[in-house]
Amino acid sequence: MTLVLVPSGALGLGFDSKALAAGLDHKPDIIAIDGGSTDSGPFYLGSGSSKYSRSATKEEWRELMIARNALGVPLVIGTCGTCGADACVDWMLEITAELAQELGQHLKVALLYSSQPSKRIKEALVQGRIADLSPALQICDAVVDSCSNIVALAGAEQIQAALDTGADIVLAGRTTDTAIIAALPLARSDHAGGAWHGAKIAECGALCTTRPRSGVIAVEFDDAGFTVFPLAKDARCTAHTVSAHMLYENADPFILHEPGGHLDVSQAGYEEVRDNRVRVSGSRWVTSDTYTVKLEGARIAGYQTLVMAMLRDRSYVEAAATWAGDIERRVRTQLQDHMGLNSGDFDLELRLIGQNATLGEYETLNQVPVEVGVMAIVTAQTQALADEIAKALNPFLLHHPLTEDEELPTFAFPFSPAEISRGPIYEFCLNHVMVLDDPMEAFRLETVDLPHG
Amino acid sequence: MAKLGEIAARVRSKNAGPFWITVDVFCGTTAVFERLEAGFPTARAAELLGQQGDALKRFSLPELNVIKFSFVRPEVQGSRRDRDMHGAQWAILLAEAEID
């Protein structure tokens, strides 16, 4: 039997402190929390940085470090700093070291690094150890070299190795969302299907309860399955809230792939038991023939500059698409005439907010809105070029008339300068798995004692 | 005639990793589940979501009264032409569909 306390879906998202205190009363064997995923897009992996503020991360981590110290059990975070690149593990270590000093705690910290040198991926390519996932993306040495960061998703084995060091705190790079929760129950020989299924249900914290924003839940794993329960006052787990979470962010509601196998929940049963708990059994773990880890990679896809203009004049709102199309044609001609730029040298889009900015070509409604926000998006191979093109757009967005004979119109610019330089934009460019002979061969494990020196 | 989103208890969509979007239709009752199983064919959903042939996966979960659709997103999450990082607005395309 293993009790895992999950304070929330991600460090930095916030949790109910009273619920955390209630969770500690149950004497969990481990506290496990996620630090991120690809959910927020490619920038964080591409740049190797965190989505959440350092101050929010530090204050929540302080509460968890105090809770861990009171219980004397391990505290584990997976996918440090949103993306789990090595730089983000070091960022969490820096925060942990500051807190150890401030709280007067003496700690052994295990660091599990998931970043992949491009050389290792290229060798694996030659050895036929890289396989496509669906949808298949092209992979070759040039693609690997173009990535600013590549991470492999650690599974339960690597987290177990980190726990086996006897560390008080494990700071892990990229892991699967579930591995940090499933690792200890699996190490203690709890039911494997139950361990992975319970981990999937718990990975977003209280999202599997009737009070999703309260954060804290606990899962009790045993030799036949698991029981999940909420810790916030008035929160409940129901058969519906728990089983529905298996659908969340999951393309297939029955199967979940993990390093070393897959979880099959097609025969799982959900039963409401005492105290707002839900008991789950019948989940199956299927071991695979080869041990694979998923890869994630992101690379720079260009540099971007935005210009915003607002149309409120009724005649312009009604003709916004025509107006925008006309501007686009004129500015493209001007860029060719003045700078010798062809359409392949840059990307320009005037996205009309209020018309179809969200759904694009799939939008089915066609209504005249009160106003239209014109978001001009310029992407080019350098920031200087993107800025220059955006500046060429500026007079058109400010004054372009629909007809030749009208008095020069002026539209609303919300900002000065009008151009917003966004810096590099990134794109995900890997959707592959890598075969490993030993789960640790693509990961690096270190330990440090805090406070330093 | 009524809109799917008015009949169902909830329609939501979400990214499932950077390359997929999944739409969950929570029917709420067995009666609504059966009505949508019969009256909202996969081909209709595929057309609304811009999916060709059998590219749209459909999962029917009668014990939950849920119908789930998953598809490869036309633009990779967060890439230049992606408009909706978390894919959360795609659900609207099904919710606003008229059902007999």
Side-chain angles (χ1 to χ4, degrees):
Chain A
M1 192 104 92
T2 309
L3 186 67
V4 180
L5 184 70
V6 181
S8 84
L11 187 71
L13 208 53
F15 50 78
D16 177 340
S17 297
K18 283 185 186 147
L20 180 69
L24 301 185
D25 291 342
H26 290 273
K27 303 267 180 266
D29 298 297
I30 189 169
I31 304 171
I33 189 165
D34 202 8
S37 71
T38 56
D39 199 53
S40 304
F43 174 81
Y44 305 97
L45 177 60
S47 62
S49 60
S50 168
K51 160 186 168 178
Y52 293 112
S53 81
R54 193 181 194 279
S55 59
T57 302
K58 184 173 176 180
E59 284 318 296
E60 290 180 24
W61 195 235
R62 180 193 303 274
E63 271 193 76
L64 298 183
M65 280 177 61
I66 292 169
R68 187 218 66 80
N69 194 52
L71 290 173
V73 298
L75 167 63
V76 179
I77 179 167
T79 313
C80 280
T82 307
C83 66
D86 287 359
C88 288
V89 176
D90 293 337
W91 182 74
M92 266 316 286
L93 176 62
E94 190 183 275
I95 290 171
T96 306
E98 286 172 15
L99 286 166
Q101 193 79 258
E102 290 169 28
L103 297 168
Q105 293 185 4
H106 293 268
L107 301 163
K108 181 173 183 178
V109 178
L111 307 165
L112 178 71
Y113 291 102
S114 306
S115 283
Q116 301 299 311
S118 56
K119 185 166 171 278
R120 182 183 294 146
I121 308 297
K122 288 190 280 189
E123 282 170 5
L125 260 178
V126 172
Q127 293 162 354
R129 286 166 172 266
I130 304 285
D132 291 339
L133 294 173
S134 170
L137 301 189
Q138 193 225 355
I139 185 169
C140 59
D141 284 4
V143 169
V144 174
D145 285 331
S146 70
C147 292
S148 48
N149 274 308
I150 299 175
V151 291
L153 279 71
E157 294 78 4
Q158 297 84 354
I159 297 295
Q160 285 163 358
L163 289 170
D164 284 346
T165 63
D168 302 301
I169 292 180
V170 175
L171 305 178
R174 187 66 171 119
T175 66
T176 69
D177 296 348
T178 39
I180 50 164
I181 301 169
L184 188 63
L186 288 168
R188 292 176 163 205
S189 302
D190 290 328
H191 189 268
W196 286 110
H197 192 183
K200 167 63 191 168
I201 296 303
E203 54 112 356
C204 288
L207 220 54
C208 66
T209 76
T210 53
R211 276 197 51 207
R213 293 180 65 177
S214 59
V216 196
I217 59 161
V219 190
E220 196 170 77
F221 296 91
D222 55 46
D223 58 6
F226 69 93
T227 305
V228 56
F229 57 98
L231 289 153
K233 201 165 166 277
D234 306 328
R236 287 181 301 124
C237 282
T238 69
H240 183 80
T241 61
V242 172
S243 58
H245 191 70
M246 193 63 207
L247 308 175
Y248 188 69
E249 295 179 334
N250 211 9
D252 186 318
F254 305 118
I255 304 291
L256 189 69
H257 291 277
E258 293 284 344
H262 73 266
L263 167 70
D264 180 346
V265 304
S266 56
Q267 304 302 316
Y270 301 79
E271 187 194 351
E272 291 176 14
V273 291
R274 67 180 173 87
D275 301 335
N276 302 317
R277 295 171 177 224
V278 170
R279 170 75 190 160
V280 183
S281 56
S283 331
R284 225 158 49 88
W285 170 254
V286 183
T287 306
S288 55
D289 297 337
T290 53
Y291 188 90
T292 61
V293 288
K294 190 177 172 187
L295 301 173
E296 289 168 354
R299 65 181 173 196
I300 290 181
Y303 294 79
Q304 208 161 66
T305 307
L306 307 182
V307 191
M308 294 283 297
M310 307 299 297
L311 310 181
R312 179 61 181 81
D313 183 308
R314 186 79 180 167
S315 59
Y316 280 83
V317 168
E318 284 173 351
T322 307
W323 178 82
D326 198 24
I327 289 179
E328 201 178 314
R329 269 189 303 280
R330 285 167 190 261
V331 84
R332 282 182 188 280
T333 304
Q334 183 187 308
L335 289 167
Q336 179 142 46
D337 293 348
H338 292 183
M339 297 172 70
L341 292 173
N342 296 309
S343 59
D345 298 327
F346 63 93
D347 193 282
L348 169 63
E349 181 189 350
L350 300 186
R351 200 173 285 179
L352 302 179
I353 299 171
Q355 284 203 346
N356 63 352
T358 312
L359 295 170
E361 63 189 289
Y362 305 102
E363 181 55 71
T364 54
L365 296 186
N366 184 11
Q367 295 165 356
V368 178
V370 171
E371 60 187 359
V372 170
V374 183
M375 178 163 65
I377 308 170
V378 179
T379 313
Q381 284 312 305
T382 66
Q383 189 67 59
L385 182 57
D387 288 348
E388 186 70 8
I389 294 168
K391 284 182 178 176
L393 257 175
N394 185 318
F396 290 98
L397 291 172
L398 188 61
H399 289 307
H400 184 62
L402 269 172
T403 54
E404 290 300 335
D405 51 359
E406 67 187 282
E407 197 177 314
L408 201 65
T410 302
F411 305 103
F413 271 21
F415 307 119
S416 171
E419 299 77 27
I420 306 163
S421 302
R422 293 194 60 230
I425 61 160
Y426 292 85
E427 62 189 6
F428 289 117
C429 53
L430 295 179
N431 191 28
H432 301 83
V433 291
M434 179 165 66
V435 177
L436 302 181
D437 292 328
D438 172 352
M440 286 308 292
E441 75 185 49
F443 299 88
R444 190 159 53 88
L445 183 59
E446 292 178 11
T447 57
V448 294
D449 291 316
L450 295 179
H452 290 301
Chain B
M1 294 282 276
K3 287 190 165 50
L4 188 153
E6 294 163 359
I7 305 171
R10 190 176 172 210
V11 187
R12 72 177 184 192
S13 61
K14 188 76 173 64
N15 53 326
F19 306 101
W20 290 77
I21 286 177
T22 190
V23 190
D24 299 331
V25 181
F26 291 89
C27 300
T29 64
T30 307
V32 171
F33 176 77
E34 284 169 359
R35 179 175 172 190
L36 292 178
E37 279 287 89
F40 191 63
T42 310
R44 176 85 194 286
E47 187 189 339
L48 291 164
L49 298 168
Q51 296 295 304
Q52 309 295 320
D54 56 0
L56 182 67
K57 295 185 183 210
R58 179 189 188 121
F59 302 92
S60 297
L61 296 98
E63 63 285 359
L64 285 178
N65 289 321
V66 165
I67 305 170
K68 184 177 182 72
F69 298 97
S70 296
F71 56 99
V72 173
R73 59 193 298 162
E75 305 295 343
V76 174
Q77 183 191 6
S79 61
R80 230 299 286 137
R81 297 202 171 271
D82 181 33
R83 293 162 178 266
D84 181 4
M85 198 72 58
H86 302 88
Q89 295 296 308
W90 283 81
I92 302 294
L93 293 172
L94 298 196
E96 290 182 350
E98 296 281 352
I99 305 294
D100 289 332

